[in-house]
Amino acid sequence: MKTIKFNKGFIPAAIISGIIILAGVVGLFVKGINFGLDFRPGMIEEVRVAEPVAEIGYNGPAKVSMDLSAGQMDIVISGVGATNETRSFNFNVVKTVSELAAEVNKIDGVVMNVRNGSYDTTKLFLNSAVTNQLSDSIIYIYPAGSSKVTTDDVRAAFGSDSVDIKQLGAGADASYQIRKSVKEGDVQADVLAGINEKLYSKFGKENVAVVKTDFIGAGMSKSIAIRSIIMLLLTVVLIWVYAAIRFHWDFALGSVIALIHDTCIIMAFIIWTQMEFSTTVLAAVLTIIGYSINATVVILDRIRYNLKMMPEAKNFNEILNKSLGDTLLRSILTTVTTLFAVVSLYVFTTGSIKNFALAMIVGLISGMYSSIFISSGFIAMFRKNWKPEYGVHHSAKTAKIQEE
């Protein structure tokens, strides 16, 4: 079988990679990295804007709380002088808000007023920023899939304030992620109150429902960033030590250069697409480092084997081309089969997992490419003056081993 001359692609591959990495460096200064909340201090709040379909309250001596899920509403009654019980209302039975209210109002002291009685109960949700403890203060019940607000409307609520708005979901089911940076000393409650005040002023307090909130202070985000850098560097150093012990220093250096190459390629992609760089995406980068070194080790192991089995080789490129040819099908099949799973994640998921999958797709392709051309190319450069260690007199012995 004819041996593919992979070595002819080493220089063109290095030039292409250099251009991509240089573009990433330029992008770093032009566009910057879109750091997620994990690496950037700030408040992030996800909200929905919709008119309530009902309101509920309680006036009595007992302690009454409410829990609302996709399948049912539970009202828990407890306290001194009350019968401790849980009333559950299955949405397969009470299918509209009117039917639900009729049943809830049978509980002593609990009053549920209906605004839109025909609405489907399976699409109801509560404001997570409000306690689920019922009292004479009204709690609003909201309908999913009824919002008429757009991203531009939410952005207009903040005027010239520096906030990032991201739409999650589509159409009437959309929610909006609002992220605001904070400085050292900013108080979480004050930042949150400032965000909500803008929303209440624009849409009305009763029409804004908080889905969830997260807050990371300046000290914590800095600590996470430092630990992430240390973890990445330590991973690369340990891989270099492993490769140097198992193979040779130049093999180890070539494999580490390939890992750094893959990391730079992924980062260039992240920078130019402005993908949010979160801990999930960092996990994808570390996963690709592990995957890439695994693919590289297979090739290095084959090179080491052929160094002993090809004493007649005139130069190191002959051994390198034979080794790459021996492992090419394995490299392609491993990458393609892994891509099947990762592409499925990208197609069928959303949010941070979708970003994880996209980074993995880029990294898998880069990892296969770097194992063949980048790592091998640098090893070939380090061994350009290589001479056979065994000599021609060893050919007969090698032939005998191959026959066996």
Side-chain angles (χ1 to χ4, degrees):
M1 185 176 69
K2 185 178 180 180
T3 301
I4 301 173
K5 296 187 180 299
F6 291 95
N7 63 294
K8 291 186 177 180
F10 292 160
I11 293 178
I15 293 172
I16 292 171
S17 293
I19 292 172
I20 295 173
I21 293 171
L22 181 61
V25 174
V26 172
L28 182 63
F29 291 99
V30 174
K31 300 174 74 71
I33 300 175
N34 181 24
F35 285 109
L37 187 64
D38 298 334
F39 298 100
R40 186 173 66 180
M43 168 68 71
I44 185 167
E45 180 177 54
E46 183 182 344
V47 300
R48 289 191 177 200
V49 181
E51 295 182 3
V53 292
E55 53 191 47
I56 187 170
Y58 172 72
N59 187 8
K63 183 178 179 181
V64 180
S65 60
M66 174 182 59
D67 181 59
L68 185 63
S69 65
Q72 67 182 34
M73 173 188 282
D74 296 318
I75 294 183
V76 181
I77 305 169
S78 61
V80 179
T83 302
N84 293 333
E85 60 177 324
T86 299
R87 300 279 188 92
S88 297
F89 306 98
N90 192 304
F91 293 157
N92 289 324
V93 179
V94 287
K95 298 182 179 181
T96 65
V97 174
S98 292
E99 293 174 7
L100 176 62
E103 295 299 318
V104 169
N105 286 329
K106 294 178 182 179
I107 303 173
D108 290 340
V110 177
V111 178
M112 181 173 173
N113 295 319
V114 176
R115 295 189 178 189
N116 185 347
S118 62
Y119 200 82
D120 186 355
T121 51
T122 59
K123 297 182 178 180
L124 301 178
F125 68 94
L126 299 173
N127 186 345
S128 67
V130 177
T131 177
N132 65 347
Q133 194 75 33
L134 297 184
S135 65
D136 53 3
S137 296
I138 292 173
I139 294 179
Y140 294 107
I141 300 176
Y142 295 90
S146 64
S147 177
K148 298 179 182 178
V149 173
T150 66
T151 306
D152 290 336
D153 294 330
V154 177
R155 187 172 288 111
F158 293 91
S160 59
D161 285 4
S162 179
V163 296
D164 295 326
I165 311 292
K166 181 180 180 180
Q167 180 175 319
L168 305 177
D173 286 317
S175 61
Y176 299 93
Q177 190 181 79
I178 301 161
R179 182 170 61 191
K180 183 176 177 62
S181 300
V182 299
K183 302 184 294 294
E184 190 75 41
D186 285 350
V187 180
Q188 177 180 352
D190 293 341
V191 176
L192 183 60
I195 293 174
N196 289 338
E197 183 180 347
K198 298 285 187 181
L199 294 172
Y200 297 158
S201 176
K202 175 71 174 179
F203 304 110
K205 185 173 182 178
E206 68 176 41
N207 296 326
V208 177
V210 177
V211 178
K212 65 178 181 179
T213 58
D214 289 303
F215 180 84
I216 292 186
M220 183 178 295
S221 64
K222 182 179 180 181
S223 175
I224 292 173
I226 292 174
R227 287 201 299 267
S228 299
I229 293 171
I230 292 173
M231 179 171 58
L232 188 61
L233 292 176
L234 186 60
T235 300
V236 172
V237 170
L238 290 176
I239 288 174
W240 183 86
V241 171
Y242 161 77
I245 293 173
R246 181 171 178 181
F247 300 104
H248 194 265
W249 72 266
D250 54 351
F251 283 23
L253 185 57
S255 63
V256 167
I257 289 172
L259 297 184
I260 296 173
H261 164 274
D262 294 340
T263 304
C264 291
I265 294 294
I266 295 176
M267 290 306 300
F269 176 80
I270 291 171
I271 288 169
W272 281 104
T273 60
Q274 284 295 284
M275 177 193 297
E276 184 176 87
F277 189 79
S278 62
T279 51
T280 304
V281 174
L282 175 63
V285 174
L286 292 174
T287 302
I288 288 302
I289 287 177
Y291 178 89
S292 180
I293 190 61
N294 180 63
T296 303
V297 163
V298 172
I299 295 173
L300 297 182
D301 197 54
R302 194 67 186 181
I303 294 172
R304 183 174 62 176
Y305 173 80
N306 285 333
L307 279 170
K308 298 177 182 178
M309 304 307 292
M310 296 175 63
E312 73 283 357
K314 297 178 181 179
N315 55 61
F316 187 73
N317 280 336
E318 287 187 23
I319 296 174
L320 202 53
N321 288 333
K322 177 67 166 61
S323 302
L324 291 172
D326 291 344
T327 57
L328 180 62
L329 184 60
R330 185 263 183 200
S331 298
I332 293 173
L333 289 178
T334 303
T335 301
V336 170
T337 51
T338 308
L339 276 172
F340 286 153
V342 177
V343 169
S344 297
L345 276 177
Y346 178 74
V347 173
F348 296 110
T349 61
T350 58
S352 60
I353 298 299
K354 194 177 188 74
N355 288 342
F356 172 88
L358 184 57
M360 284 288 295
I361 291 171
V362 175
L364 285 169
I365 296 171
S366 173
M368 181 180 70
Y369 157 81
S370 67
S371 295
I372 295 173
F373 292 105
I374 303 303
S375 176
S376 301
F378 275 95
I379 293 172
M381 183 181 69
F382 298 145
R383 296 207 173 197
K384 62 182 179 179
N385 297 320
W386 175 87
K387 300 293 182 184
E389 296 180 7
Y390 294 93
V392 178
H393 68 278
H394 195 67
S395 298
K397 184 178 179 180
T398 302
K400 184 179 180 180
I401 293 174
Q402 290 174 332
E403 289 176 2
E404 294 175 353

